[in-house]
Amino acid sequence: MGGLEIKIDNFSPLFDKSNMEYKEFSSDFSQIRLYTMWLVRSAPSEIREFNLLEQQISEIIKNAIKHGNKNNIDKKVKIWYSLTAETAHLIVEDEGEGFKDLEKWNAFNRKRLQYIGEQNFDDLGKYVSFRGADSDNYDGGNALFAALEYWNGGFVFNEKRNAVGMKKFFNSKSSSTEEVLSDIKPW
């Protein structure tokens, strides 16, 4: 299981943009799938088959557009990326004010993980969906819950909290869907 919380660290190696490609997009919510496909198409075939990579990248872009840039088409989402057979490394930055509820989200997630570990499903029901100050009925923090699990090389915000660096390590061998699923451990 991934870490218990999201860290803030401007000096994390996850923010090193050396040897990374760069792309920026307008904050057009209707184009998220296109933006994601544009990035994923550069991935080597060994990792391109993983639909979770596409989903994770899409969710990060979606959060930058919706929560960071408040769907303002004039604001940009900047993405630095490197996709190899061994790793996926991305830095996504928006022009927003930053994730102000990060400490509250971290506390919520620690409690959520505690109840999962204890298999306390009665109390876990209160920790299914995080609602921050700017949340709407379609938000629940699920993208961040999944991100901590998926980005096994780290997931960190900058000090302003408007940029996130993340890295995923892939197995060096080609994995079939069955092999990937066999690695998943039940709660």
Side-chain angles (χ1 to χ4, degrees), residues 36-49:
T36 303
M37 295 305 293
W38 195 95
L39 295 171
V40 173
R41 76 175 185 183
S42 69
S45 60
E46 296 91 340
I47 67 170
R48 201 177 310 149
E49 70 185 44

Side-chain angles (χ1 to χ4, degrees), residues 37-103:
M37 295 305 293
W38 195 95
L39 295 171
V40 173
R41 76 175 185 183
S42 69
S45 60
E46 296 91 340
I47 67 170
R48 201 177 310 149
E49 70 185 44
F50 287 108
N51 290 330
L52 287 176
L53 175 63
E54 180 183 336
Q55 179 186 29
Q56 283 294 314
I57 293 172
S58 176
E59 286 298 323
I60 298 299
I61 294 171
K62 186 185 300 182
N63 280 347
I65 290 173
K66 181 179 179 182
H67 298 293
N69 290 344
K70 308 290 186 201
N71 294 310
N72 181 338
I73 197 92
D74 296 324
K75 292 187 176 184
K76 303 289 183 201
V77 174
K78 300 174 184 178
I79 303 174
W80 294 262
Y81 61 100
S82 172
L83 304 170
T84 70
E86 295 81 30
T87 62
H89 179 197
L90 284 89
I91 301 167
V92 178
E93 181 178 344
D94 59 53
E95 296 181 45
E97 296 179 17
F99 184 24
K100 303 297 183 211
D101 287 333
L102 183 58
E103 287 78 11

Side-chain angles (χ1 to χ4, degrees), residues 99 101-109 126-133 135-136 139-142 144-145:
F99 184 24
D101 287 333
L102 183 58
E103 287 78 11
K104 291 177 186 175
W105 187 91
N106 278 331
F108 183 93
N109 191 46
K126 300 175 221 159
Y127 290 88
V128 172
S129 188
F130 176 80
R131 296 281 190 257
S135 294
D136 62 28
D139 296 326
N142 293 331
L144 288 177
F145 298 147

